[in-house]
Amino acid sequence: MKLHAQIERWPVAGAFTISRGAKTHVDVVVATVTDGGHVGRGEGTAIYYHGETAETVLAEILGQADAVAAGMDRTELQTRLPRGAARNALDNALWDLEAKRAATPVWQLAGLPEPKPHITAFTISVADPAKMEADARASADLPLLKLKLAGEGDDARVAAVRRGAPNARLIVDANEAWTGRDVAGETARLAKYGVELIEQPVRAGEDALLDGISAVIPFAADESCQDRSDLARCAGRYQAINIKLDKTGGLTEALALAREGRAMGLEIMIGCMLGTSLGMAPPFLLGATARWVDLDGALLLAEDRSSPMTAAGGFLSPPAADLWG
């Protein structure tokens, strides 16, 4: 087998803004594994808050060229690379290759339900309330909106979005911005707007700040839950986990994380980093097991791959066979 990997730059439609800053493009790393007759592809997006860059991800992947040539499978990969975007890209390339060799779709190989369209959240970037209201009004026909928050002034932001989209379901992502704030009070203030989920209210590693809070809106661990090793710390503090394959290091660990999380009574959210439809296709398969699906990473780009995953009325379509899986 042979391994190839490269960095690709894709422009964002406008700008994608969260409490930590704005992005006008995303660099993804694509891993390609070939056996002479079949080709498998996988995409990873560097997790910047872990210090990853597209260049470090590329180097990690290419460092596995000899192992791939020797026939490395997904099980061996889990021991050779740590969780993160590099293992994600390579793990998903191996899934894709396996599916093509077996002439069997990945969802069947993984024992998952046949994929059908899922409602996906559509992100409203953090901004002043007037801008967020206008953005919400432009997306008011979508069933589920996700608001990026920043701490100070979040009540006004959510109120503005609710005015702009009075009938949409709302989830919010604090991106750790509520550390040092009255988390219980912030949560109670948002309840009147019908918010149904709050992602990562406090900084990862400071999860004990949630001890004793009986939240009227469930909390989802994002930065605080990377893979199964984080579940014990999240249980009792969060009611849900946001599974992103760039965090888990691929579909293989994501499947195990979802299974063990559900066994502990945690709700499942499937999320993503910015990326193309090639990056959205593997996590899409987990959507049937999730309460919330947030896979708009490709919908936020100015352009996408051929055979892209498409959305109509807030429903994201399954990936085409020639895209992945």
Side-chain angles (χ1 to χ4, degrees):
M1 297 203 299
K2 293 183 179 180
L3 171 66
H4 173 75
Q6 65 184 29
I7 298 172
E8 299 176 351
R9 175 162 292 186
W10 295 81
V12 174
F16 176 74
T17 308
I18 64 174
S19 60
R20 302 189 192 99
K23 281 180 169 285
T24 57
H25 66 267
V26 60
D27 291 334
V28 303
V29 184
V30 177
T32 304
V33 180
T34 62
D35 66 0
H38 306 89
V39 178
R41 296 187 304 160
E43 176 183 301
T45 300
I47 303 179
Y48 56 92
Y49 56 80
H50 284 171
E52 292 183 344
T53 66
E55 290 74 21
T56 64
V57 169
L58 178 65
E60 279 192 273
I61 294 171
L62 292 177
Q64 300 303 310
D66 289 344
V68 169
M72 178 177 67
D73 61 10
R74 289 183 293 102
T75 300
E76 182 183 349
L77 173 63
Q78 309 309 303
T79 66
R80 294 187 63 92
L81 281 181
R83 65 192 186 188
R87 196 175 77 188
N88 179 38
L90 193 45
D91 184 74
N92 294 330
L94 291 172
W95 273 108
D96 192 30
L97 181 66
E98 183 179 342
K100 289 173 178 172
R101 281 173 158 174
T104 303
V106 170
W107 64 267
Q108 287 187 346
L109 295 175
L112 293 169
E114 183 175 2
K116 301 183 184 305
H118 300 310
I119 290 176
T120 182
F122 185 78
T123 301
I124 304 294
S125 288
V126 66
D128 63 80
K131 175 67 164 59
M132 293 183 74
E133 180 176 351
D135 290 346
R137 199 174 302 281
S139 302
D141 60 329
L142 299 179
L144 179 62
L145 299 180
K146 173 175 171 175
L147 292 59
K148 293 291 188 176
L149 301 182
E152 185 67 33
D154 282 345
D155 181 87
R157 293 185 179 95
V158 179
V161 169
R162 178 50 80 201
R163 288 193 300 271
N167 299 317
R169 294 165 53 206
L170 300 183
I171 59 179
V172 302
D173 186 0
N175 277 122
E176 305 179 293
W178 288 4
T179 289
R181 305 184 68 81
D182 176 7
V183 174
E186 295 279 0
T187 301
R189 281 188 285 276
L190 299 192
K192 61 181 176 289
Y193 304 116
V195 172
E196 60 184 70
L197 184 71
I198 298 171
E199 281 187 70
Q200 199 65 41
V202 298
R203 282 194 289 264
E206 299 181 5
D207 311 282
L209 294 172
L210 303 179
D211 287 350
I213 294 179
S214 181
V216 294
I217 303 171
F219 297 141
D222 183 359
E223 288 86 350
S224 288
C225 186
Q226 309 288 315
D227 62 16
R228 285 174 289 171
S229 68
D230 296 318
L231 282 173
R233 185 179 65 255
C234 292
R237 293 167 173 159
Y238 297 91
Q239 293 72 49
I241 53 173
N242 186 351
I243 298 176
K244 295 178 179 176
L245 271 60
D246 282 307
K247 295 189 303 179
T248 66
L251 181 61
T252 301
E253 173 63 21
L255 289 164
L257 175 58
R259 181 175 61 251
E260 293 191 17
R262 285 195 302 271
M264 296 174 68
L266 292 162
E267 297 274 10
I268 304 300
M269 177 181 188
I270 304 301
C272 64
M273 308 291 281
L274 281 174
T276 75
S277 285
L278 180 59
M280 303 305 114
F284 184 91
L285 301 187
L286 290 165
T289 68
R291 180 171 173 183
W292 299 278
V293 173
D294 177 23
L295 293 177
D296 65 346
L299 304 178
L300 299 171
L301 301 182
E303 43 188 275
D304 197 0
R305 300 188 184 277
S306 58
S307 299
M309 297 170 67
T310 58
F315 283 81
L316 187 64
S317 65
D322 61 347
L323 175 67
W324 183 87

